[in-house]
Amino acid sequence: MGLIQSMEKQGNFLFKYRGQFPVILFLLVIPFVHSTDYHNINLQNQKFSLYIAITISIIGTLVRFYTIGTTTEGTSGRNTEKQVATVLNSTGIYSMLRHPLYFGNYLIWLGIAISTFNFYFIIIMSLIFWIYYERIIFAEEQFLKKKFGVKFSNWSVNLPAFFPSLLQFKKSKTPFSMISVLRREYSGVLATIIAFTYIEVLRNYFKDKVWEISTLSCQFLIVIIVIVLVLRSLKHYTKILDETGRS
């Protein structure tokens, strides 16, 4: 098997199971948090780092919100069995970079990694993310190239894959829909909150040998869970979040 075919096969496999990527990081982070001496990290520096971490993850979430909210049916989906694309997105955020959802994912996980206060985990997470998603991106672009041909080549030739080129922005042809965001992104938001809570629990345990989270974190987690349950019920048992022409 040639290198291109091998990379594409690996990418399609990882694409199918990309939802399991957080599990890898959840397990990997344990020894890094365990080895971090939190008693020697200034409390003010911890708070500042946590504010930065949360801000970066919020930016990543907003990138995902804008992407999901301005795309049409048949694109930017949560499909796992195979690649799907009925149209080629080329305006809005797709005029600045080719893979905005993965860029948003990286920012979210970068924020989560920063919340460990462990520089080595930030580097390791970034390297694993790149190796993992590089193959997924390769497989996706092979699919798009075969499906859209010259149209894909013309769109992608001068467009960065991952980090946005802000000066190339073109207004999206599809109006932003908050309904799309509410219907499709609640699980991702919940996963992000759970990840931050998980890191906080690990920090507290390895620092003070106590399984606990702050009152604020607990309250926020409960609120998000309630919102998610409401949105999930609306999605599955009503037509309130249904839209025509949206995934």
Side-chain angles (χ1 to χ4, degrees):
M1 183 183 294
L3 180 59
I4 291 178
Q5 290 80 8
S6 177
M7 287 278 288
E8 186 174 2
K9 183 178 180 180
Q10 292 172 22
N12 284 324
F13 175 81
L14 294 174
F15 174 85
K16 185 176 181 178
Y17 295 102
R18 67 194 186 279
Q20 278 64 54
F21 180 75
V23 177
I24 298 173
L25 296 183
F26 272 37
L27 295 174
L28 183 64
V29 73
I30 296 174
F32 284 93
V33 176
H34 178 265
S35 64
T36 303
D37 187 357
Y38 292 104
H39 293 285
N40 286 330
I41 302 177
N42 182 276
L43 184 60
Q44 196 66 30
N45 290 338
Q46 289 189 33
K47 289 182 178 180
F48 181 69
S49 296
L50 194 56
Y51 291 148
I52 292 177
I54 293 172
T55 300
I56 291 174
S57 288
I58 289 174
I59 293 172
T61 300
L62 293 177
V63 169
R64 286 192 57 90
F65 282 5
Y66 180 72
T67 304
I68 293 298
T70 55
T71 51
T72 58
E73 186 176 8
T75 60
S76 302
R78 291 187 177 275
N79 49 295
T80 57
E81 293 303 317
K82 61 180 181 179
Q83 306 284 354
V84 174
T86 56
V87 296
L88 181 67
N89 292 318
S90 59
T91 60
I93 199 164
Y94 285 93
S95 64
M96 296 189 292
L97 72 164
R98 304 200 300 271
H99 300 278
L101 288 177
Y102 298 155
F103 175 62
N105 287 351
Y106 175 70
L107 291 180
I108 290 170
W109 276 103
L110 178 60
I112 294 168
I114 291 173
S115 74
T116 66
F117 312 142
N118 188 302
F119 176 76
Y120 297 107
F121 181 69
I122 297 171
I123 298 301
I124 293 296
M125 183 282 297
S126 298
L127 289 174
I128 292 175
F129 189 97
W130 179 253
I131 293 170
Y132 195 97
Y133 276 92
E134 180 186 39
R135 282 156 176 75
I136 294 177
I137 288 172
F138 181 83
E140 285 191 4
E141 295 202 346
Q142 286 294 105
F143 168 77
L144 293 173
K145 184 177 180 181
K146 293 172 185 176
K147 187 173 182 68
F148 297 104
V150 175
K151 186 177 181 181
F152 170 77
S153 298
N154 291 339
W155 166 69
S156 63
V157 64
N158 293 316
L159 193 65
F162 203 71
F163 295 103
S165 176
L166 300 179
L167 296 179
Q168 294 184 225
F169 178 76
K170 297 176 183 177
K171 186 178 179 180
S172 175
K173 295 179 180 179
T174 305
F176 179 81
S177 170
M178 193 62 198
I179 297 296
S180 289
V181 174
L182 293 175
R183 184 178 66 255
R184 297 178 57 188
E185 286 297 288
Y186 60 80
S187 59
V189 172
L190 178 59
T192 301
I193 301 304
I194 289 174
F196 271 101
T197 304
Y198 173 73
I199 298 297
E200 182 181 344
V201 169
L202 289 180
R203 287 201 317 264
N204 289 336
Y205 178 75
F206 289 123
K207 178 184 177 183
D208 301 317
K209 303 303 179 184
V210 177
W211 296 102
E212 67 176 7
I213 59 174
S214 67
T215 301
L216 180 61
S217 295
C218 185
Q219 292 173 342
F220 191 64
L221 178 61
I222 292 172
V223 169
I224 294 299
I225 289 174
V226 171
I227 292 173
V228 166
L229 290 175
V230 170
L231 290 175
R232 190 177 187 280
S233 298
L234 291 175
K235 177 180 178 179
H236 291 284
Y237 302 113
T238 75
K239 295 185 178 181
I240 293 176
L241 299 181
D242 289 354
E243 288 180 293
T244 301
R246 302 279 184 153
S247 296

